[in-house]
Amino acid sequence: MSETAQRSGAVPLVAIGSGAVVAVLLGVYGAQHEPTFEDITTFGFPTLTAMKVWLAVAAGVMAVGQVFGALWLYGKLPMAPPSWLGVGHRISGFAAVALSLPVAYHCLWSLGFQDYDTRVLVHSIAGCALYGAFVFKVVGVHSKQAPRWLLPFAGSLLFTAFLVVVLTSAGWYLNEFGLPEGPAY
C-alpha cells in the first residue's frame, strides 16, 4: 500500500471532532454557567484587567512567533533552521497556550459566554474556538497517519483563533485605554 493510501482519513475526522467537542462544551458551559463577576488572582499585576491584557499580548506575540517558527521549520524562509528550532517551537507553543489559560479561566468563570455586542460575541466564539483548535492540532500532530495538510491547517486555525481573541480583547483594550500598568514586583 502506498504512503498516501496509508494516511488515514479518520485522523482528520477524529482531530476535528475532538476539537469541535471541546469548543462546543466550552461555549455551552460559558452560556449556562452563572457568571460570578469575581476577580481571580492577578499574579502581581495591579488589576485583573492589567493581568489579562499583558498575558493576552504576550500569548499573541508568541503566537506570531509560532508562525515564523513554522515557516522556518518547513523551509519557507531563506535560511536553514537551527537544530533546536523544533523543540523551541513546541515549547513556545505550549507557553503561549499556558499564558492564555488564566485569562480564559477568568473569562469563562467570572464573565461567561457574552453576546451583548458584536466584538464581545466574536471574542466569546473565538475563545471557545481557540481551545478547540488547540485540541484539534494536538490530536492531529500526534498521529503518524495524519495527512500532510492537517498540521499546517490546524496550526493556521489555531493562530487565527489566537489572533481574533487577542485583537477583540487586549487589542481593543489597548486602543481604548492604552497600556495598563505592569506587575508590581
Side-chain angles (χ1 to χ4, degrees):
M1 189 176 269
S2 72
E3 179 183 339
T4 305
Q6 289 178 345
R7 293 193 177 267
S8 173
V11 171
L13 294 175
V14 170
I16 291 168
S18 300
V21 166
V22 167
V24 168
L25 287 175
L26 288 171
V28 168
Y29 173 79
Q32 298 303 311
H33 166 71
E34 188 68 35
T36 66
F37 299 106
E38 295 174 6
D39 289 355
I40 59 168
T41 184
T42 62
F43 297 113
F45 287 89
T47 65
L48 183 65
T49 300
M51 183 267 301
K52 289 175 67 174
V53 169
W54 279 95
L55 291 183
V57 168
V61 167
M62 293 182 94
V64 170
Q66 285 294 106
V67 171
F68 287 104
L71 290 171
W72 203 359
L73 282 168
Y74 281 93
K76 303 298 182 187
L77 297 180
M79 57 214 148
S83 60
W84 54 263
L85 187 60
V87 172
H89 183 74
R90 284 189 293 280
I91 290 170
S92 68
F94 174 81
V97 172
L99 280 174
S100 74
L101 288 174
V103 178
Y105 174 75
H106 176 265
C107 288
L108 271 175
W109 179 256
S110 297
L111 305 174
F113 190 98
Q114 300 285 327
D115 62 0
Y116 58 86
D117 73 20
T118 303
R119 176 191 65 83
V120 173
L121 174 61
V122 168
H123 178 74
S124 293
I125 292 169
C128 296
L130 186 150
Y131 294 99
F134 175 72
V135 169
F136 167 38
K137 185 172 185 240
V138 168
V139 170
V141 164
H142 290 290
S143 172
K144 295 192 185 324
Q145 296 177 333
R148 294 194 195 289
W149 60 265
L150 185 70
L151 180 57
F153 179 75
S156 298
L157 185 64
L158 181 57
F159 173 73
T160 301
F162 249 119
L163 185 66
V164 172
V165 168
V166 171
L167 290 176
T168 57
S169 59
W172 170 84
Y173 185 90
L174 293 170
N175 185 56
E176 293 290 315
F177 305 105
L179 188 64
E181 195 176 323
Y185 293 115

